[in-house]
Short mmCIF file of all heavy atoms in Angstrom, two decimals:
data_model
loop_
_atom_site.label_atom_id
_atom_site.label_comp_id
_atom_site.label_asym_id
_atom_site.label_seq_id
_atom_site.Cartn_x
_atom_site.Cartn_y
_atom_site.Cartn_z
N LEU B 127 60.57 183.25 18.63
CA LEU B 127 60.65 183.45 20.16
C LEU B 127 60.45 182.20 20.89
O LEU B 127 60.09 182.29 22.12
CB LEU B 127 59.63 184.66 20.55
CG LEU B 127 59.89 185.95 19.79
CD1 LEU B 127 58.78 186.94 20.10
CD2 LEU B 127 61.24 186.57 20.17
N GLN B 145 56.84 181.30 20.72
CA GLN B 145 56.81 181.60 22.22
C GLN B 145 56.64 180.36 23.00
O GLN B 145 56.09 180.43 24.13
CB GLN B 145 55.67 182.56 22.43
CG GLN B 145 55.92 183.90 21.66
CD GLN B 145 54.75 184.88 21.85
OE1 GLN B 145 53.56 184.48 21.91
NE2 GLN B 145 55.06 186.21 21.78
N ARG B 150 65.20 171.82 29.47
CA ARG B 150 66.48 171.07 29.25
C ARG B 150 66.14 169.59 29.26
O ARG B 150 65.38 169.01 30.08
CB ARG B 150 67.38 171.36 30.42
CG ARG B 150 67.76 172.88 30.54
CD ARG B 150 68.26 173.24 31.91
NE ARG B 150 68.10 174.70 32.09
CZ ARG B 150 67.08 175.35 32.65
NH1 ARG B 150 66.04 174.65 33.16
NH2 ARG B 150 67.14 176.69 32.71
N THR B 165 54.48 175.48 27.94
CA THR B 165 55.67 175.25 28.78
C THR B 165 55.92 173.71 28.90
O THR B 165 55.03 173.08 29.41
CB THR B 165 55.61 175.91 30.09
OG1 THR B 165 55.35 177.32 30.09
CG2 THR B 165 56.99 175.68 30.91
N GLY B 181 49.09 177.72 26.47
CA GLY B 181 49.11 177.84 27.92
C GLY B 181 49.14 176.50 28.69
O GLY B 181 49.13 176.52 29.94
N ASP B 187 55.94 171.78 39.21
CA ASP B 187 56.19 170.92 40.34
C ASP B 187 54.80 170.37 40.97
O ASP B 187 53.91 171.20 41.02
CB ASP B 187 56.83 171.79 41.48
CG ASP B 187 58.32 171.88 41.41
OD1 ASP B 187 58.88 171.22 40.42
OD2 ASP B 187 58.98 172.53 42.15
N TYR B 189 52.36 169.38 43.92
CA TYR B 189 52.10 170.13 45.24
C TYR B 189 52.32 169.22 46.40
O TYR B 189 51.50 168.43 46.85
CB TYR B 189 50.59 170.55 45.19
CG TYR B 189 50.03 171.51 46.27
CD1 TYR B 189 50.48 172.81 46.27
CD2 TYR B 189 49.13 170.98 47.23
CE1 TYR B 189 50.03 173.69 47.22
CE2 TYR B 189 48.67 171.87 48.08
CZ TYR B 189 49.01 173.15 48.12
OH TYR B 189 48.56 174.12 49.11
N TYR B 191 54.31 168.98 50.25
CA TYR B 191 54.97 169.62 51.40
C TYR B 191 54.89 168.71 52.60
O TYR B 191 53.93 167.96 52.76
CB TYR B 191 54.29 170.97 51.77
CG TYR B 191 54.17 171.82 50.58
CD1 TYR B 191 53.12 171.85 49.76
CD2 TYR B 191 55.34 172.66 50.29
CE1 TYR B 191 53.11 172.68 48.62
CE2 TYR B 191 55.32 173.41 49.11
CZ TYR B 191 54.11 173.50 48.31
OH TYR B 191 54.12 174.32 47.22
N GLU B 192 55.86 168.79 53.43
CA GLU B 192 55.80 168.18 54.79
C GLU B 192 55.78 169.31 55.75
O GLU B 192 56.69 170.30 55.71
CB GLU B 192 57.12 167.29 55.03
CG GLU B 192 57.17 166.02 54.28
CD GLU B 192 56.05 165.07 54.83
OE1 GLU B 192 55.79 164.98 56.01
OE2 GLU B 192 55.39 164.36 54.02
N HIS B 198 55.39 174.67 56.10
CA HIS B 198 55.24 173.71 55.03
C HIS B 198 56.54 173.61 54.28
O HIS B 198 56.86 174.60 53.55
CB HIS B 198 54.09 174.18 54.12
CG HIS B 198 52.83 174.43 54.81
ND1 HIS B 198 52.14 173.46 55.62
CD2 HIS B 198 52.10 175.53 54.91
CE1 HIS B 198 51.15 173.99 56.09
NE2 HIS B 198 51.05 175.23 55.72
N LYS B 200 58.88 172.23 51.59
CA LYS B 200 58.77 171.66 50.14
C LYS B 200 59.42 170.31 50.09
O LYS B 200 60.50 170.03 50.45
CB LYS B 200 59.40 172.59 49.18
CG LYS B 200 59.18 172.21 47.72
CD LYS B 200 59.71 173.20 46.69
CE LYS B 200 59.52 172.66 45.34
NZ LYS B 200 58.16 172.57 44.82
N ASN B 218 45.54 175.84 28.69
CA ASN B 218 45.73 176.22 30.11
C ASN B 218 45.59 175.05 31.12
O ASN B 218 45.35 175.19 32.22
CB ASN B 218 44.87 177.35 30.54
CG ASN B 218 45.38 178.70 29.96
OD1 ASN B 218 46.57 178.80 29.53
ND2 ASN B 218 44.69 179.72 30.04
N ASP B 222 51.35 168.19 36.41
CA ASP B 222 52.57 168.32 37.29
C ASP B 222 53.49 167.16 37.16
O ASP B 222 53.07 166.04 36.92
CB ASP B 222 52.02 168.26 38.79
CG ASP B 222 51.51 169.62 39.23
OD1 ASP B 222 51.70 170.62 38.45
OD2 ASP B 222 50.83 169.72 40.30
N ASN B 227 59.86 159.37 39.88
CA ASN B 227 59.37 158.60 38.67
C ASN B 227 58.56 159.55 37.74
O ASN B 227 59.08 160.71 37.40
CB ASN B 227 58.59 157.43 39.01
CG ASN B 227 59.58 156.32 39.60
OD1 ASN B 227 60.72 156.41 39.46
ND2 ASN B 227 58.94 155.32 40.30
N GLN B 242 43.35 169.80 35.66
CA GLN B 242 44.55 169.68 36.55
C GLN B 242 44.86 168.16 36.70
O GLN B 242 43.99 167.38 37.03
CB GLN B 242 44.17 170.25 38.02
CG GLN B 242 44.89 169.68 39.10
CD GLN B 242 46.42 170.10 39.15
OE1 GLN B 242 46.93 170.73 38.24
NE2 GLN B 242 47.06 169.83 40.25
N ARG B 248 48.53 158.45 37.20
CA ARG B 248 48.73 157.65 35.99
C ARG B 248 47.38 157.50 35.28
O ARG B 248 46.43 157.06 35.77
CB ARG B 248 49.21 156.18 36.36
CG ARG B 248 50.70 156.36 36.55
CD ARG B 248 51.40 155.10 36.77
NE ARG B 248 50.85 154.63 38.17
CZ ARG B 248 51.29 153.49 38.60
NH1 ARG B 248 52.18 152.69 37.96
NH2 ARG B 248 50.86 153.08 39.83
N SER B 259 37.94 169.57 35.06
CA SER B 259 38.10 168.40 35.97
C SER B 259 39.50 168.31 36.52
O SER B 259 40.43 169.03 36.08
CB SER B 259 37.72 167.08 35.26
OG SER B 259 38.52 166.96 34.07
N GLN B 276 34.25 169.57 35.53
CA GLN B 276 34.27 170.05 36.84
C GLN B 276 34.23 168.95 37.90
O GLN B 276 33.85 169.13 39.08
CB GLN B 276 33.12 171.05 37.03
CG GLN B 276 33.26 172.22 36.17
CD GLN B 276 32.19 173.29 36.38
OE1 GLN B 276 31.13 173.08 36.89
NE2 GLN B 276 32.47 174.59 35.96
N HIS B 282 45.34 158.86 45.26
CA HIS B 282 45.49 157.42 45.67
C HIS B 282 44.36 156.53 45.44
O HIS B 282 44.20 155.52 46.12
CB HIS B 282 45.93 157.39 47.12
CG HIS B 282 47.22 158.10 47.45
ND1 HIS B 282 48.43 157.47 47.37
CD2 HIS B 282 47.56 159.38 47.85
CE1 HIS B 282 49.41 158.30 47.68
NE2 HIS B 282 48.81 159.46 47.93
N ARG B 313 28.08 157.73 42.98
CA ARG B 313 27.32 156.54 43.17
C ARG B 313 26.88 156.08 41.76
O ARG B 313 27.07 156.83 40.76
CB ARG B 313 25.93 156.75 43.83
CG ARG B 313 25.91 157.71 44.92
CD ARG B 313 24.53 157.95 45.49
NE ARG B 313 24.72 158.78 46.72
CZ ARG B 313 24.76 160.06 46.76
NH1 ARG B 313 24.80 160.80 45.67
NH2 ARG B 313 24.96 160.66 47.97
N ARG B 334 3.62 164.90 54.71
CA ARG B 334 2.89 163.64 54.99
C ARG B 334 3.19 163.12 56.40
O ARG B 334 2.31 162.66 57.11
CB ARG B 334 3.36 162.54 54.06
CG ARG B 334 2.86 162.70 52.62
CD ARG B 334 3.59 162.02 51.57
NE ARG B 334 3.56 160.52 51.72
CZ ARG B 334 4.35 159.69 50.98
NH1 ARG B 334 5.20 160.24 50.06
NH2 ARG B 334 4.39 158.37 51.25
N ILE C 30 63.71 155.58 42.93
CA ILE C 30 62.78 155.80 44.08
C ILE C 30 61.46 155.21 43.51
O ILE C 30 61.13 155.62 42.33
CB ILE C 30 62.66 157.15 44.52
CG1 ILE C 30 64.00 157.71 44.98
CG2 ILE C 30 61.56 157.34 45.57
CD1 ILE C 30 63.93 159.21 45.43
N GLU C 35 55.78 149.12 43.42
CA GLU C 35 56.48 149.15 42.11
C GLU C 35 57.97 149.10 42.34
O GLU C 35 58.75 148.94 41.26
CB GLU C 35 56.23 150.44 41.42
CG GLU C 35 54.77 150.52 40.97
CD GLU C 35 54.43 151.92 40.46
OE1 GLU C 35 55.20 152.86 40.67
OE2 GLU C 35 53.33 152.06 39.79
N LYS C 48 47.71 153.58 54.68
CA LYS C 48 46.87 152.77 53.72
C LYS C 48 47.73 151.67 53.01
O LYS C 48 47.23 150.70 52.58
CB LYS C 48 46.36 153.81 52.67
CG LYS C 48 45.54 153.24 51.60
CD LYS C 48 44.95 154.32 50.62
CE LYS C 48 44.25 153.63 49.47
NZ LYS C 48 43.67 154.56 48.57
N TYR C 49 49.01 151.98 52.81
CA TYR C 49 49.82 151.03 52.10
C TYR C 49 50.61 150.08 52.98
O TYR C 49 51.50 149.37 52.49
CB TYR C 49 50.74 151.72 51.15
CG TYR C 49 50.05 152.70 50.15
CD1 TYR C 49 50.09 154.03 50.26
CD2 TYR C 49 49.20 152.11 49.24
CE1 TYR C 49 49.35 154.82 49.36
CE2 TYR C 49 48.45 152.90 48.25
CZ TYR C 49 48.59 154.24 48.31
OH TYR C 49 47.93 154.98 47.42
N SER C 84 58.08 160.21 55.25
CA SER C 84 57.77 161.15 54.12
C SER C 84 58.93 162.25 54.17
O SER C 84 59.42 162.67 53.12
CB SER C 84 56.44 161.68 54.21
OG SER C 84 55.47 160.76 53.91
N LEU C 127 64.47 185.82 26.56
CA LEU C 127 63.19 186.38 26.15
C LEU C 127 62.36 186.86 27.35
O LEU C 127 61.14 186.92 27.30
CB LEU C 127 62.46 185.32 25.33
CG LEU C 127 63.24 184.94 24.01
CD1 LEU C 127 62.50 183.74 23.30
CD2 LEU C 127 63.45 186.05 23.07
N GLU C 143 63.41 182.16 34.70
CA GLU C 143 63.81 181.08 33.81
C GLU C 143 63.82 181.58 32.38
O GLU C 143 64.88 181.34 31.69
CB GLU C 143 62.84 179.96 33.95
CG GLU C 143 63.15 178.98 35.01
CD GLU C 143 64.15 177.88 34.58
OE1 GLU C 143 64.53 177.88 33.37
OE2 GLU C 143 64.51 177.02 35.36
N GLN C 145 61.16 183.85 29.23
CA GLN C 145 59.82 184.31 28.69
C GLN C 145 58.90 184.76 29.86
O GLN C 145 57.70 184.65 29.89
CB GLN C 145 59.20 183.13 28.04
CG GLN C 145 59.95 182.67 26.77
CD GLN C 145 59.38 181.49 26.14
OE1 GLN C 145 58.82 180.54 26.75
NE2 GLN C 145 59.61 181.33 24.72
N HIS C 163 56.77 181.94 31.25
CA HIS C 163 55.34 182.34 30.96
C HIS C 163 54.65 182.80 32.22
O HIS C 163 53.42 182.82 32.18
CB HIS C 163 54.57 181.24 30.32
CG HIS C 163 55.15 180.92 28.95
ND1 HIS C 163 55.49 179.62 28.65
CD2 HIS C 163 55.34 181.68 27.92
CE1 HIS C 163 55.97 179.64 27.39
NE2 HIS C 163 55.95 180.76 26.90
N ARG C 177 58.45 181.05 44.80
CA ARG C 177 58.49 180.25 43.62
C ARG C 177 57.19 180.38 42.88
O ARG C 177 56.12 180.09 43.43
CB ARG C 177 58.64 178.74 43.96
CG ARG C 177 60.03 178.42 44.53
CD ARG C 177 60.07 176.98 44.97
NE ARG C 177 59.90 176.07 43.89
CZ ARG C 177 60.99 175.50 43.26
NH1 ARG C 177 62.19 175.70 43.67
NH2 ARG C 177 60.75 174.68 42.22
N GLU C 214 54.78 179.66 47.52
CA GLU C 214 54.93 178.89 46.24
C GLU C 214 53.55 178.98 45.56
O GLU C 214 52.47 178.69 46.27
CB GLU C 214 55.37 177.52 46.49
CG GLU C 214 55.57 176.78 45.16
CD GLU C 214 56.48 175.56 45.18
OE1 GLU C 214 56.73 175.00 46.35
OE2 GLU C 214 56.91 175.04 44.18
N ASN C 218 49.41 178.25 36.33
CA ASN C 218 48.16 178.81 35.76
C ASN C 218 47.22 179.31 36.90
O ASN C 218 46.06 179.57 36.58
CB ASN C 218 47.40 177.84 34.84
CG ASN C 218 48.21 177.82 33.56
OD1 ASN C 218 49.03 178.59 33.22
ND2 ASN C 218 47.81 176.80 32.67
N LYS C 236 51.20 178.23 50.53
CA LYS C 236 51.46 177.42 49.25
C LYS C 236 50.11 177.23 48.63
O LYS C 236 49.19 176.76 49.13
CB LYS C 236 51.98 176.06 49.69
CG LYS C 236 53.16 176.11 50.72
CD LYS C 236 54.38 176.67 50.17
CE LYS C 236 55.52 176.50 51.19
NZ LYS C 236 56.78 177.18 50.86
N ASN C 239 47.81 174.52 41.68
CA ASN C 239 47.49 174.91 40.33
C ASN C 239 46.10 175.48 40.08
O ASN C 239 45.17 174.96 40.81
CB ASN C 239 47.74 173.77 39.22
CG ASN C 239 49.18 173.21 39.23
OD1 ASN C 239 50.00 173.82 39.86
ND2 ASN C 239 49.26 172.16 38.57
N HIS C 252 51.14 180.66 56.01
CA HIS C 252 51.09 179.21 56.10
C HIS C 252 49.82 178.60 55.71
O HIS C 252 49.47 177.52 56.37
CB HIS C 252 51.65 178.79 57.51
CG HIS C 252 52.99 179.30 57.86
ND1 HIS C 252 54.15 179.11 57.11
CD2 HIS C 252 53.35 180.22 58.84
CE1 HIS C 252 55.16 179.74 57.59
NE2 HIS C 252 54.67 180.46 58.66
N PHE C 255 46.20 175.89 49.73
CA PHE C 255 45.08 175.97 48.79
C PHE C 255 45.30 174.80 47.72
O PHE C 255 46.12 174.97 46.90
CB PHE C 255 45.02 177.25 48.01
CG PHE C 255 44.59 178.38 48.86
CD1 PHE C 255 45.46 179.06 49.78
CD2 PHE C 255 43.26 178.87 48.82
CE1 PHE C 255 45.04 180.03 50.55
CE2 PHE C 255 42.85 179.86 49.59
CZ PHE C 255 43.72 180.52 50.48
N SER C 257 44.25 172.57 44.43
CA SER C 257 43.93 172.92 43.06
C SER C 257 42.50 173.22 42.76
O SER C 257 41.62 172.63 43.27
CB SER C 257 44.48 171.78 42.13
OG SER C 257 44.18 172.04 40.77
N GLN C 258 42.42 174.28 41.93
CA GLN C 258 41.01 174.64 41.39
C GLN C 258 40.04 175.21 42.44
O GLN C 258 38.92 175.26 42.18
CB GLN C 258 40.35 173.43 40.67
CG GLN C 258 41.15 173.01 39.41
CD GLN C 258 40.64 171.88 38.69
OE1 GLN C 258 40.20 170.91 39.39
NE2 GLN C 258 40.71 171.90 37.42
N LYS C 294 35.57 170.54 47.23
CA LYS C 294 34.24 170.77 46.64
C LYS C 294 33.22 171.38 47.50
O LYS C 294 32.07 171.11 47.40
CB LYS C 294 33.78 169.36 46.08
CG LYS C 294 33.96 169.28 44.56
CD LYS C 294 33.22 168.14 43.92
CE LYS C 294 32.85 168.36 42.65
NZ LYS C 294 33.88 168.85 41.70
N GLU C 326 21.32 159.26 51.94
CA GLU C 326 21.47 157.87 51.28
C GLU C 326 20.29 157.00 51.65
O GLU C 326 19.96 156.11 50.97
CB GLU C 326 22.79 157.19 51.76
CG GLU C 326 24.08 157.90 51.31
CD GLU C 326 24.57 157.42 50.02
OE1 GLU C 326 24.00 156.47 49.37
OE2 GLU C 326 25.54 157.95 49.51
N GLU C 339 1.39 154.91 56.27
CA GLU C 339 0.13 155.50 55.73
C GLU C 339 -0.83 154.41 55.45
O GLU C 339 -2.05 154.50 55.65
CB GLU C 339 0.37 156.36 54.49
CG GLU C 339 1.05 157.68 54.82
CD GLU C 339 1.60 158.40 53.56
OE1 GLU C 339 1.92 157.73 52.59
OE2 GLU C 339 1.81 159.61 53.66
#
Side-chain angles (χ1 to χ4, degrees):
Chain B
L127 303 171
Q145 296 175 331
R150 302 160 197 94
T165 306
D187 276 0
Y189 187 69
Y191 305 92
E192 283 293 322
H198 308 301
K200 182 173 178 69
N218 285 346
D222 280 347
N227 290 344
Q242 153 73 351
R248 279 185 291 181
S259 53
Q276 299 185 339
H282 296 273
R313 320 175 170 87
R334 285 161 64 190
Chain C
I30 300 176
E35 292 172 349
K48 177 176 174 181
Y49 299 114
S84 291
L127 303 170
E143 275 271 359
Q145 296 175 330
H163 296 123
R177 291 173 66 97
E214 182 160 17
N218 285 346
K236 313 293 186 183
N239 298 350
H252 306 299
F255 287 79
S257 182
Q258 297 177 320
K294 256 195 150 49
E326 297 269 354
E339 288 168 336

